[in-house]
Amino acid sequence: MYRHFGEVDAAEASPLYERVAVALSESEEALRAIEAVPARRRHPAVVLAALHDLALAGRAPALAAAYAAGNGDAAAGAAIDTLVRSTDEVTAVAVRRRPRADETGRCAVLYPALAEAARRVGADTVGLIDVGCSAGFNLSVDRVGIAYGDGRVLGDASSPVRFSASVVGERPVPERAMPEVVARIGVDADPVDVTDPDDARWLRACLPPDRPERAARLAAESALAATAPPLLLAGDAVELLPEALARVPPEALPVVTTTWALSRLPLEKRLRFLQRLDAAATERPVAWVSVEGVGVAPAVPTMGDRHASGHSIVGVAVFGHSALHAEAVGRCWSRGRLLAWLAGS
């Protein structure tokens, strides 16, 4: 597993991790130490992040120095030594934390979809509820600047956080601005508070040490999120949805967002998620903006696209008065770096 991770998964993304993972796979001492980690937490992404966390925390100085220098051979040796000498510490981090995907950069897809959801309801203010993207970066969507390949710019042009996305297809991304955001709520089984130094360090630890551009983007988004920290609700997202919706002021449109989060739930729970949204829309409309794989988001049309097709569908659904209107408004690739807008202006 570690050799495959190094030679296949990390080969292009992180040459440093490629060298470290292969070295771990060839060390009997390292493999014995990995066996001390509970079976479900032995995945290379988890153990490497735990080692990185120790390095960032100053508890593995030799490993930190090797990572900073970008020296693959030194990093491999230091990783083996740290793992063998500090097996209990690595295990404790691996058990307590779960790996985090790179959650930055999704706003380029969310922004026009959120503006479209508000337009359909005629909302002047919205309350954002993000499910499953626990660091809360999606909740800063109105506070970032976004440049599209067709020359359009959305969001805050003066923001220290900026994104770009290429646009394909005949329809341009609408230049519609999002309404005022009056509530920011994150719901996740294990939310990350970017204002907490340990949580912030763990997000950094989940990135390879030799990707400084990703670390810089993470730092910028974390700093922006920390200036307006969201309300974080920890627990089962489906069960907590009614509480989250109730936290949105009555004059605002609640908009729930999911970005590649529902695929972690079984179909029964995804349908329950849909029922929760419908039940909450008895007294006021509720909107849902989804960016999920083809066929993952219940009720969002697939437009005949095949499952596992390599792209995701951007959906906008509006619930109200026992009625549901759901539409696929776009397709995206590469986690939102490429967008095809489909909805009419």
Side-chain angles (χ1 to χ4, degrees):
M1 181 169 62
Y2 275 74
R3 177 175 291 279
H4 182 273
F5 181 88
E7 295 179 344
V8 178
D9 298 336
E12 293 186 9
S14 172
L16 197 64
Y17 269 0
E18 177 184 9
R19 180 71 187 90
V20 170
V22 171
L24 292 175
S25 77
E26 295 173 344
S27 167
E28 292 185 5
E29 282 187 310
L31 293 177
R32 281 197 297 270
I34 291 170
E35 287 179 353
V37 180
R40 295 182 63 183
R41 313 302 296 167
R42 291 177 192 164
H43 190 277
V46 181
V47 172
L48 288 171
L51 286 167
H52 194 191
D53 188 70
L54 294 185
L56 293 171
R59 292 150 63 188
L63 181 60
Y67 279 167
N71 188 321
D73 290 335
I80 292 172
D81 184 66
T82 302
L83 183 57
V84 172
R85 291 175 177 270
S86 305
T87 303
D88 290 344
E89 289 182 88
V90 173
T91 300
V93 175
V95 169
R96 184 168 61 93
R97 297 289 194 177
R98 67 180 177 90
R100 300 284 175 176
D102 188 351
E103 297 177 349
T104 69
R106 305 178 185 204
C107 294
V109 173
L110 282 176
Y111 192 105
L114 286 164
E116 176 65 17
R119 182 193 71 81
R120 294 185 177 195
V121 178
D124 295 323
T125 58
V126 297
L128 300 181
I129 301 170
D130 190 57
V131 172
C133 192
S134 63
F137 296 145
N138 288 348
L139 297 169
S140 296
V141 58
D142 59 315
R143 305 171 66 220
V144 305
I146 309 164
Y148 295 91
D150 61 3
R152 298 177 181 235
V153 178
L154 295 178
D156 182 359
S158 65
S159 174
V161 177
R162 300 186 181 187
F163 301 110
S164 62
S166 299
V167 177
V168 297
E170 298 179 356
R171 293 187 183 274
V173 176
E175 294 185 286
R176 190 176 298 112
M178 276 186 59
E180 180 186 3
V181 177
V182 296
R184 305 175 197 271
I185 304 166
V187 185
D188 190 68
D190 182 23
V192 174
D193 181 359
V194 295
T195 66
D196 180 278
D198 290 341
D199 281 4
R201 187 181 67 243
W202 176 246
L203 285 179
R204 174 67 183 89
C206 289
L207 297 179
D210 54 345
R211 294 300 301 274
E213 75 288 350
R214 290 174 64 183
R217 187 175 65 181
L218 172 66
E221 285 202 75
S222 296
L224 183 65
T227 62
L231 169 66
L232 298 176
L233 302 179
D236 185 292
V238 176
E239 299 307 316
L240 284 173
L241 203 51
E243 178 183 349
L245 290 162
R247 299 285 188 118
V248 176
E251 70 279 3
L253 170 69
V255 185
V256 178
T257 58
T258 63
T259 53
W260 300 288
L262 296 186
S263 59
R264 298 194 292 265
L265 303 179
L267 177 59
E268 179 183 354
K269 201 145 195 175
R270 279 180 268 156
L271 293 174
R272 177 65 172 158
F273 171 83
L274 202 67
Q275 292 168 355
R276 290 284 199 187
L277 292 174
D278 184 57
T282 56
E283 297 183 358
R284 61 174 171 176
V286 172
W288 169 35
V289 169
S290 61
V291 187
E292 304 283 353
V294 178
V296 172
V300 175
T302 61
M303 302 175 291
D305 296 351
R306 294 180 299 172
H307 294 265
S309 58
H311 70 271
S312 300
I313 292 179
V314 185
V316 170
V318 176
F319 301 77
H321 304 294
S322 300
L324 164 64
H325 177 75
E327 182 182 345
V329 298
R331 294 184 177 96
C332 71
W333 294 259
S334 300
R335 295 284 171 169
R337 295 179 182 88
L338 186 65
L339 172 64
W341 189 258
L342 304 175
S345 58

